[in-house]
Amino acid sequence: MSKPLKSSFIDHINMEVKDLEQSVTFYKNLFGFEIKKEQPEEKSKIIGNANIKLCLYENPEMKPEGAITHFGFHVENFDEIIMTCKSLGVTIHYDGPVQFEKSRSIYISDPNGYDIELSEVFGDGL
């Protein structure tokens, strides 16, 4: 029996988006993500920071089949989330933070309908 791979972080997430520029602006304004690579021949950009990379591919006709339920980011400045989201016009679901056993999370959606969990404690302390 082989040993399981030891993964410690998500390397990147590839996502279809309806509007590439709208999505880049959303992630730039909310998370401070930078454009890491432009791929105009593919209508694509790789954005992120030192720890997170999102590969965004424009498809105005994207459908929800096979969609990600949600993905989560650990947020170091968790107490600033509500103020930041409100200032950017980002809707917070469930009327604010959801309390878990070891952490709190806030849920939002990006312009394409992908749900994003913003967590206080990395991996919910698991």
Side-chain angles (χ1 to χ4, degrees):
M1 176 187 257
S2 62
K3 292 183 181 181
L5 298 174
K6 294 181 181 181
S7 58
S8 55
F9 296 97
I10 293 175
D11 183 76
H12 67 278
I13 300 172
N14 277 27
M15 302 163 48
E16 284 190 341
V17 298
K18 293 177 185 174
D19 183 309
L20 184 59
E21 293 309 319
Q22 180 186 35
S23 297
V24 169
T25 299
F26 175 85
Y27 287 101
K28 178 182 176 187
N29 289 344
L30 187 59
F31 296 104
F33 286 178
E34 300 174 347
I35 296 172
K36 298 295 185 180
K37 184 178 181 184
E38 305 249 5
Q39 303 177 119
E41 66 284 352
E42 298 174 1
K43 292 187 177 180
S44 172
K45 293 184 183 185
I46 299 174
I47 62 172
N49 60 28
N51 300 314
I52 299 168
K53 305 293 183 293
L54 300 179
C55 305
L56 307 178
Y57 294 87
E58 187 171 73
N59 178 2
E61 305 301 318
M62 70 176 274
K63 304 253 187 277
E65 291 88 0
I68 299 167
T69 303
H70 79 261
F71 54 91
F73 293 134
H74 169 253
V75 179
E76 292 179 18
N77 54 342
F78 186 84
D79 292 327
E80 298 173 23
I81 291 174
I82 292 174
M83 181 178 61
T84 301
C85 286
K86 284 183 179 180
S87 73
L88 294 172
V90 176
T91 301
I92 297 172
H93 303 302
Y94 312 116
D95 298 319
V98 175
Q99 182 67 53
F100 294 104
E101 184 177 337
K102 298 178 183 177
S103 182
R104 295 178 296 164
S105 291
I106 287 179
Y107 293 85
I108 62 172
S109 296
D110 82 352
N112 306 285
Y114 289 114
D115 290 337
I116 304 168
E117 178 181 356
L118 308 173
S119 299
E120 178 180 36
V121 176
F122 187 80
D124 194 28
L126 299 176

